Amino acid sequence: MTIWYTADTHFGHENIMRFCNRPFVSASQMDAAMLENMWKVVGSEDQL
């Protein structure tokens, strides 16, 4: 088991894409990409 820590991901925050130059067209697309990438490394027995 691994314990993972994360900071504020800004899920659902439309303006963060412009403020931080994130390459997404919508907050839902950004959220989906972040979750997909997160679950590639966080295992089912891990704590997040």
Side-chain angles (χ1 to χ4, degrees):
M1 177 188 80
T2 301
I3 298 173
W4 297 89
Y5 294 89
T6 186
D8 190 352
T9 58
H10 293 275
F11 285 120
H13 187 178
E14 291 284 342
N15 288 327
I16 199 68
M17 295 178 295
R18 183 170 41 91
F19 296 153
C20 295
N21 203 24
R22 293 185 181 185
F24 304 102
V25 297
S26 68
S28 60
Q29 181 192 36
M30 176 183 69
D31 295 352
M34 289 193 295
L35 287 170
E36 181 179 337
N37 289 330
M38 184 185 317
W39 295 126
K40 286 179 182 176
V41 296
V42 178
S44 61
E45 299 296 318
D46 293 349
Q47 291 184 12
L48 175 64

